Amino acid sequence: MPDFCAAYGCSNHRSLETRTRGITFHVFPKTGERRQWEVALRRDGFVSSGRTLLCSEHFRSEDFDRTGQTVRLKDGVVPTIFNFPAHLQRVCVSLANKNS
């Protein structure tokens, strides 16, 4: 069964091409941050399974432990890099005073 990234609009799947590009795939945590990962995807009613994956393009470079042969995510990291369509974007309101 092919392994695909679960992020909205991401078309990465485990293949020789993605491996050559340095893209790694990571299973959702079994405990702890699992719910935070699910919420970060912004997919209504999404519940991850034991095989749900996210690719490395949704994590910051400092989120990885690359000291061994296997690329691993550091404990406690949550995916933060997504390319959401306009209806899923979060609006940030600035409260800064224009006269400052």
Side-chain angles (χ1 to χ4, degrees):
M1 181 175 207
D3 293 327
F4 291 91
C5 180
Y8 187 93
C10 186
S11 60
N12 287 332
H13 61 280
R14 198 179 302 225
S15 67
L16 182 58
E17 177 192 347
T18 54
R19 177 179 277 181
T20 302
R21 291 174 36 210
I23 296 173
T24 54
F25 290 83
H26 305 274
V27 178
F28 275 58
K30 295 193 184 328
T31 59
E33 295 80 27
R34 184 183 200 99
R35 185 66 188 135
Q36 292 175 324
W37 282 37
E38 292 171 346
V39 170
L41 293 181
R42 298 186 199 168
R43 292 175 57 186
D44 285 338
F46 177 79
V47 178
S48 61
S49 72
R51 297 223 356 107
T52 306
L53 302 168
L54 279 181
C55 73
S56 55
E57 292 191 336
H58 305 290
F59 297 91
R60 300 170 301 157
S61 60
E62 59 265 22
D63 291 343
F64 295 98
D65 175 5
R66 299 180 187 274
T67 56
Q69 286 184 324
T70 304
V71 176
R72 300 183 190 279
L73 288 169
K74 293 179 182 175
D75 289 338
V77 300
V78 176
T80 56
I81 302 171
F82 298 99
N83 188 18
F84 292 117
H87 72 281
L88 292 176
Q89 294 287 337
R90 288 197 175 128
V91 177
C92 295
V93 178
S94 175
L95 299 177
N97 187 352
K98 291 183 180 180
N99 297 330
S100 300

